[in-house]
Amino acid sequence: MTYFTAYMIWQPKLPIFWGGLLLIAIFAWAFFLFSRVKRRYSKQKTLLLIIPKIIIALLLALLFFDPAWAMTRQITEQLNFLLLQDHSSSMDVTDLEGKSRFERAQEMATDLEGMLPGGDIELESMIFEDDLFSGKEESENGEEERIRPTDLAQVLVDANQRQRAGDYDGIIYLTDGGDERFSPSEFPPIPLYFVGIGAGVGDNNDLEIHSVDVPSTVELETDFTVGVNLRAYGDTGFLRQLYDVSLELQIFNERRENGWESFETKRIDIRDSSAIVDFRVDAIDEEGHYKMRLIAEDMPDEMTYLNNKRYFTVNVEERSLRALLYSPMLGQNEAVLRRTLSEDAGIELTSLVRMRQDQYVIKSDGEEEAFLKDGFPTSVEDLGTFDTIIIGSFPARYWREEQMHALVEFVENGGSAVFLGGSDSFGLGGYYNTPLRPLFPWAIRPDEPSLSIGRISVTLTSAAIRQDVIEGWAGKMREAHPQYLQSLNHPGRLRRGAVSLLDAPHDRGDVAVLAIQPFGTGRVLGLATNTIWRWRMAGDEERRAYDHLWKRGIRYLAGKGEGGRFLRVNFDQDNYYPGERADIDIQIIGDYAEGRVSVNAVKQFEGEEEERLSTQRQPSGVNEFRSRTFFAQRGDYTFKINAFVDNEEIESFERTMWVGSRLNEGANIYPDHSFLRDLASRGGGNSYRENEVEELTEDLKEQLVSRSVHRTEPLIQYRGIYLILILLTLVAEWTVRRRLDLF
């Protein structure tokens, strides 16, 4: 049912003083006119002549007072909310009041129905148990037990599709949160409300594999390290027994009867509530995807054993990355970086140091390039033998013009570059009026302030945390102690398209210390400090953060992509979740005239009918294309891309990728309230803890009030009444004058 209420309001265009003077002037004019006309006519005729004029004057005065109808339409139609209850395996955990999370969620659903006005708000309750995916694990007796996963990403996609019918006014999801963060590209067009179910960290006895640091891809015949962060919570009695905890690394071997083969077992003392453990995995001499898992010993009185396991996959590929470090003067920043990268067997580093004019020292992990004897290359072809060029801090006068142009073209064509900070970098180094200026992620200035010296704190940005640009680095930074720098450049504001990963608050304004920007088809990283090397000399956590930044960061920048000799394909992310979009950059290698090259791209979901993808030619080059696709559900997607020159196929590409969570259910057992809050705010709703149900009900009731529609319409414009009154008054005056023969 709908109710209307209306009342009149005034919206004066004049201040009160001038409005009052206007009314006084009208009444004075009317009195003067009445006195004057009364001398010639009777009182009755005088009134008949004067009243129309007064009405016209008052109607004209209304223009300055702007009366309006304020109308309210109260809609009392019923609101319908979809109430989803998470029934994943982690919801079986008993962590509060002797009840499982699922039992408390069911009680909460019942309480919500009783607390909301039944005639105005209707709840449709549904238990969300995903029957499309069955993760299975071997129990101790060899029997398979079904693991029900939490998949918030799929829930949002399904909710969006369900809402297309317009059945609901909002969605409430009772969940303990997913195991991984994601960034959906679409949200349902209705508010989302999350209630995070689960006790806080430390409220129960628990041993967990908190995080695992392992490269997603390693080079063939290269050793790598699996770093494990173990944490324990609980009372003194529970922690006291954790002096000899077993932690085992296993590798899946399809030739074994149970599939899993023990690689190494370590005994860990975790009575201090945390421990860092490293497993050194010997070089693997065969390409492929290797499944691995870590198993921490199940301890008595634990809240759950779900987070005692962690599954992951390592891709082994024959792909070695080549980097060139160039600096006429080798400072501590460059020296520590060179030593760090040289320790990585998957990176072949060459350093080029100018000792004096026309004399250079070359140190290489591989075969030396003869053209480096003459200094930094002047041709794109020579630079193209490297994937990444690292530039130290030195003045612009050490460059030759052709060298700078070669570096710009190298990055523009898909290479990558790193610029290190210092007293001779960016604007301080005289780079403002050079061809290299567009490469910097900042809009550098010729009057750049001098290097700041002191104890300077730094913070991770949302891009570093949410987007995880350098895979796993944000996690390493959070594990390290609060980080500081001893120097800071002030290169200027970030360029459009550049992204800051690390900020430093400063009285001159926040500075993007670590920034990345795309340039052409390549990438550039800038570092606005020359003291980050000190992190490697600090504690273990700081050293890990430093090593991770450079070893993973160089790989991210290089982004060699996939493909073959003539076709290169780059996906904008390594991993995707339902509800996310993928941007696929496709490049055909070779110098072909516009119109000669073309590509064909298709996507196939788990053997279903192929879907042809549209490809848009990029303005950056005649041989570059981009395709965009949306992942509607989790599963295996196969991409097939064909490259053509003059309508003849020259090369094809095929890749199958998993879209969905990569962590086993319960790996992150505690609700991620900050992530739920972010999702809810982006979806137009809110997030609550399980003791905040009353706040949720109040917010839902407010939606009833928000369905009151308010509208204001000026009387002067209301259905033409104002104009009709003026015309009727004029007609009335004309009629009176005619009858009284006053023309």
Side-chain angles (χ1 to χ4, degrees):
M1 188 176 294
T2 302
Y3 299 93
F4 287 93
T5 58
Y7 52 93
M8 194 170 71
I9 61 174
W10 298 87
Q11 306 173 104
K13 307 301 182 184
L14 295 174
I16 295 177
F17 175 77
W18 293 108
L21 280 181
L22 177 61
L23 292 177
I24 292 172
I26 291 174
F27 284 112
W29 166 79
F31 179 78
F32 172 77
L33 187 61
F34 178 80
S35 301
R36 185 178 174 185
V37 175
K38 186 179 178 184
R39 296 173 189 169
R40 299 175 58 188
Y41 303 102
S42 66
K43 184 177 179 181
Q44 183 180 2
K45 287 184 177 182
T46 300
L47 290 175
L48 289 173
L49 290 171
I50 293 300
I51 288 176
K53 297 183 183 300
I54 295 175
I55 292 174
I56 292 294
L58 291 175
L59 287 174
L60 292 175
L62 280 178
L63 292 172
F64 297 96
F65 293 93
D66 195 13
W69 282 113
M71 294 169 284
T72 300
R73 184 177 62 171
Q74 185 71 34
I75 303 173
T76 59
E77 296 170 353
Q78 189 179 64
L79 294 178
N80 296 312
F81 286 89
L82 176 62
L83 178 62
L84 292 174
Q85 299 177 52
D86 185 357
H87 196 207
S88 59
S89 293
S90 57
M91 290 291 287
D92 294 336
V93 172
T94 301
D95 60 349
L96 192 65
E97 302 173 352
K99 299 177 181 177
S100 72
R101 295 175 176 180
F102 183 65
E103 290 172 335
R104 301 201 304 274
Q106 288 185 305
E107 292 178 358
M108 188 180 301
T110 303
D111 292 342
L112 277 173
E113 291 181 357
M115 296 168 69
L116 294 172
D120 295 326
I121 298 179
E122 184 72 20
L123 293 180
E124 180 182 338
S125 186
M126 183 182 299
I127 295 177
F128 184 84
E129 179 179 342
D130 194 352
D131 294 324
L132 299 176
F133 175 80
S134 296
K136 294 182 178 179
E137 294 183 2
E138 290 281 346
S139 59
E140 289 185 1
N141 59 11
E143 297 178 356
E144 286 186 339
E145 54 182 352
R146 186 174 184 273
I147 300 297
R148 306 183 306 274
T150 306
D151 197 337
L152 280 178
Q154 189 67 60
V155 169
L156 290 180
V157 174
D158 293 346
N160 197 12
Q161 294 175 345
R162 179 180 290 269
Q163 180 53 24
R164 287 175 182 171
D167 296 334
Y168 304 107
D169 298 286
I171 298 175
I172 307 166
Y173 191 33
L174 311 182
T175 177
D176 60 359
D179 294 294
E180 293 178 274
R181 293 189 171 197
F182 56 94
S183 183
S185 58
E186 295 181 1
F187 282 88
I190 51 176
L192 298 176
Y193 300 93
F194 290 97
V195 180
I197 310 292
V201 177
D203 292 346
N204 294 274
N205 295 333
D206 189 32
L207 169 67
E208 71 163 354
I209 299 177
H210 181 72
S211 63
V212 177
D213 176 27
V214 58
S216 58
T217 302
V218 298
E219 285 74 23
L220 198 64
E221 299 180 350
T222 300
D223 296 348
F224 64 95
T225 300
V226 177
V228 188
N229 185 346
L230 282 177
R231 293 190 183 178
Y233 317 99
D235 55 43
T236 305
F238 176 74
L239 295 176
R240 192 181 296 125
Q241 65 178 329
L242 306 181
Y243 62 90
D244 188 31
V245 177
S246 166
L247 181 64
E248 183 181 11
L249 173 65
Q250 297 180 347
I251 300 179
F252 186 77
N253 185 344
E254 59 185 11
R255 290 188 291 269
R256 293 182 63 89
E257 184 177 350
N258 64 0
W260 292 99
E261 180 179 359
S262 178
F263 176 80
E264 185 179 3
T265 301
K266 295 191 175 187
R267 311 298 301 188
I268 312 300
D269 185 348
I270 196 174
R271 286 175 291 182
D272 291 336
S273 300
S274 66
I276 302 294
V277 185
D278 285 338
F279 289 92
R280 187 72 177 178
V281 180
D282 298 333
I284 298 177
D285 57 6
E286 188 173 336
E287 291 184 88
H289 303 284
Y290 289 82
K291 297 179 182 178
M292 301 183 181
R293 70 179 179 184
L294 287 157
I295 301 178
E297 183 179 350
D298 294 342
M299 304 304 295
D301 300 325
E302 271 197 81
M303 174 184 72
T304 180
Y305 298 134
L306 285 174
N307 54 357
N308 289 30
K309 293 181 181 180
R310 182 66 65 90
Y311 292 77
F312 55 94
T313 301
V314 176
N315 299 326
V316 179
E317 302 177 357
E318 186 177 1
R319 185 177 66 173
S320 181
L321 188 150
R322 302 192 72 206
L324 172 65
L325 171 60
Y326 174 57
S327 181
M329 45 192 76
L330 199 62
Q332 193 72 3
N333 201 25
E334 292 84 0
V336 174
L337 176 57
R338 182 176 68 177
R339 186 162 62 249
T340 301
L341 295 180
S342 294
E343 293 173 358
D344 191 324
I347 299 177
E348 183 182 311
L349 180 67
T350 299
S351 59
L352 178 65
V353 180
R354 175 177 171 173
M355 302 303 295
R356 57 179 64 92
Q357 188 172 4
D358 298 330
Q359 290 190 8
Y360 297 89
V361 174
I362 305 170
K363 292 185 66 175
S364 178
D365 298 332
E367 182 179 349
E368 291 185 7
E369 299 289 356
F371 56 78
L372 292 178
K373 295 178 181 178
D374 297 325
F376 191 85
T378 58
S379 72
V380 180
E381 290 74 18
D382 289 342
L383 285 177
T385 61
F386 300 98
D387 299 296
T388 300
I389 309 297
I390 305 170
I391 306 298
S393 179
F394 58 90
R397 66 176 182 272
Y398 283 88
W399 288 89
R400 299 205 306 270
E401 191 83 6
E402 58 269 28
Q403 293 173 330
M404 291 188 282
H405 283 296
L407 180 57
V408 171
E409 190 176 348
F410 165 74
V411 177
E412 200 169 27
N413 292 338
S416 60
V418 177
F419 290 96
L420 303 179
S423 56
D424 290 311
S425 300
F426 318 127
L428 290 177
Y431 283 88
Y432 181 78
N433 290 316
T434 70
L436 294 181
R437 184 176 67 173
L439 284 183
F440 299 119
W442 309 273
I444 66 172
R445 303 173 297 173
D447 58 344
E448 180 182 323
S450 59
L451 203 68
S452 293
I453 305 297
R455 186 178 172 87
I456 302 165
S457 64
V458 292
T459 57
L460 287 169
T461 66
S462 59
I465 298 172
R466 186 183 300 167
Q467 300 177 20
D468 200 23
V469 175
I470 300 177
E471 181 191 11
W473 180 62
K476 286 298 173 189
M477 288 289 290
R478 286 196 294 262
E479 291 174 6
H481 300 299
Q483 293 296 329
Y484 299 92
L485 298 170
Q486 284 69 42
S487 67
L488 183 66
N489 286 93
H490 301 272
R493 60 174 175 80
L494 278 180
R495 289 184 181 275
R496 181 178 299 179
V499 175
S500 175
L501 304 183
L502 196 68
D503 281 351
H506 198 270
D507 53 9
R508 295 174 183 167
D510 289 358
V511 176
V513 182
L514 185 68
I516 292 177
Q517 78 157 346
F519 188 85
T521 56
R523 295 188 181 110
V524 179
L525 181 146
L527 180 66
T529 181
N530 62 352
T531 56
I532 199 171
W533 61 270
R534 294 177 182 268
W535 292 3
R536 202 170 202 260
M537 308 303 170
D540 289 342
E541 291 83 2
E542 290 86 347
R543 178 184 59 80
R544 288 172 180 270
Y546 178 88
D547 288 359
H548 200 103
L549 166 63
W550 290 115
K551 293 178 180 180
R552 298 283 178 86
I554 292 294
R555 287 177 167 83
Y556 166 76
L557 287 175
K560 296 179 76 172
E562 303 168 86
R565 181 180 176 187
F566 301 107
L567 177 63
R568 180 173 293 177
V569 180
N570 270 314
F571 288 81
D572 62 335
Q573 295 177 195
D574 291 329
N575 305 320
Y576 296 95
Y577 301 87
E580 292 186 333
R581 293 189 185 277
D583 283 334
I584 310 168
D585 289 329
I586 306 166
Q587 183 181 14
I588 297 177
I589 309 301
D591 185 15
Y592 299 105
E594 186 172 358
R596 294 188 59 195
V597 300
S598 60
V599 296
N600 179 60
V602 297
K603 177 183 73 174
Q604 186 179 33
F605 175 70
E606 296 193 343
E608 294 181 359
E609 185 177 350
E610 291 184 348
E611 173 191 350
R612 182 161 185 171
L613 303 179
S614 63
T615 54
Q616 300 295 325
R617 192 181 300 273
Q618 296 299 97
S620 55
V622 296
N623 298 343
E624 296 165 13
F625 302 83
R626 173 168 291 179
S627 182
R628 173 171 289 185
T629 186
F630 177 78
F631 297 110
Q633 54 189 315
R634 112 179 116 244
D636 287 319
Y637 289 81
T638 299
F639 290 87
K640 300 175 183 178
I641 299 174
N642 304 88
F644 300 88
V645 173
D646 297 332
N647 296 322
E648 291 189 10
E649 183 176 323
I650 59 171
E651 198 162 40
S652 62
F653 162 87
E654 184 172 330
R655 175 186 174 183
T656 299
M657 66 166 62
W658 164 258
V659 171
S661 176
R662 280 160 175 74
L663 288 182
N664 46 290
E665 168 65 14
N668 291 323
I669 199 68
Y670 300 101
D672 188 345
H673 293 290
S674 63
F675 176 56
L676 293 179
R677 187 163 50 251
D678 177 68
L679 276 182
S681 63
R682 293 170 65 190
N686 206 347
S687 177
Y688 313 84
R689 296 175 186 265
E690 62 178 296
N691 60 353
E692 298 173 339
V693 180
E694 291 185 3
E695 296 180 23
L696 169 61
T697 57
E698 291 302 317
D699 287 347
L700 296 180
K701 291 176 183 178
E702 283 183 6
Q703 283 210 34
L704 288 173
V705 178
S706 68
R707 291 170 71 85
S708 298
V709 180
H710 303 278
R711 186 165 61 93
T712 301
E713 186 167 349
L715 280 177
I716 293 171
Q717 302 173 8
Y718 186 67
R719 298 183 179 180
I721 291 177
Y722 180 79
L723 183 59
I724 292 172
L725 286 175
I726 291 179
L727 292 174
L728 289 176
T729 304
L730 292 174
V731 170
E733 183 184 19
W734 181 85
T735 303
V736 169
R737 283 180 171 274
R738 183 176 180 84
R739 289 189 176 183
L740 296 178
D741 195 19
L742 296 177
F743 286 103

